[in-house]
Amino acid sequence: MPIPTPHITAKEGDFAKTVLMPGDPKRAQFIAETFLEDAVLVNDVRGIKGYTGYYKGKRVSVMASGMGQPSIGIYSYELFNFYGVENIIRVGSAGSLHPDLHIRDIAIAQGACTNSNYVSQYELPGNYAPIASYKLLKKAADTAEKMGLHYMVGNVLSSDTFYDDSMGTMKWAKMGVLAVEMESAALYCNAARAGKHALCICTISDSIVNENEPPTTAEERQLSFTAMMELALEIAE
């Protein structure tokens, strides 16, 4: 497919090798305006803002993914396969399924369980386990340690449903799943298929198991998850 694509109007070379990908377009704008020097808007189709600038001398891009696996599936596919992006780091929010993972702690997704049918497109003779790039995972864990962040590494659940009528989300906790979000499995699948690298870093925005902890507001999710943003920028290549 030639570029621009149906969903991204950027020109060839507009994106850096590494793209940070929050779900919220306003969070993408906040990251660009707060952390990047000489940031330039390279995409705004459907309000999905993408910027490229510099962080500590490194050329880095940030672009929103929207909500859910179909949405991040489209944007990450086009970035990996048509724009030459090598690394996508999701910087999102998640609900804790682990009692030791509290509001504003960080979950680094080693793997992404899912209730989605996204993997079925590959027609594999079994079940595929979407996992992060070890290169990015190791850098993130080592850097989080140096930064003194409270984090955990493990599986997350990439759910297709935010309002789960079956109330089945907590069943994943008994298998050690740390948190629930809505995008990582599709991102990891696209990276694997394209031979590229992906990692999901999430800040805990609410807790399903620690009910006494008040959830963060939309504005807090947009503006205050800066530790996660700096962690992702530090490991960008």
Side-chain angles (χ1 to χ4, degrees), residues 3-15:
I3 56 174
T5 67
H7 309 95
I8 303 175
T9 55
K11 301 184 295 295
E12 186 175 357
D14 277 354
F15 285 104

Side-chain angles (χ1 to χ4, degrees), residues 72-171:
I72 199 172
I74 290 171
Y75 292 113
S76 63
Y77 186 95
E78 293 184 0
L79 290 173
F80 280 141
N81 292 285
F82 306 133
Y83 282 95
V85 170
E86 294 294 325
N87 313 294
I88 294 179
I89 304 171
R90 165 165 154 69
V91 282
S93 58
S96 174
L97 297 176
H98 195 286
D100 294 334
L101 203 53
H102 302 284
I103 302 297
R104 287 191 170 80
D105 288 347
I106 290 175
I108 302 175
Q110 178 178 350
C113 308
T114 186
N115 57 17
S116 170
N117 229 5
Y118 195 88
V119 178
S120 65
Q121 66 180 299
Y122 305 113
E123 299 183 340
L124 300 168
N127 296 319
Y128 180 74
I131 59 171
S133 160
Y134 179 73
K135 175 186 74 168
L136 293 178
L137 178 69
K138 185 177 187 303
K139 286 181 68 175
D142 289 347
T143 303
E145 199 72 32
K146 291 176 184 176
M147 292 173 66
L149 302 179
H150 190 275
Y151 71 97
M152 295 181 72
V153 177
N155 274 340
V156 300
L157 168 65
S158 296
S159 178
D160 271 353
T161 51
F162 186 88
Y163 299 104
D164 181 6
D165 198 60
S166 71
M167 304 294 288
T169 300
M170 277 304 300
K171 294 179 181 178

Side-chain angles (χ1 to χ4, degrees), residues 25 48 52 76 120 133 136 148 163 178-179 187 191 193 201 206 230:
I48 296 294
T52 297
S76 63
S120 65
S133 160
L136 293 178
Y163 299 104
L178 298 179
L187 173 62
R193 184 69 179 88
I201 303 172
D206 58 279
E230 292 183 77

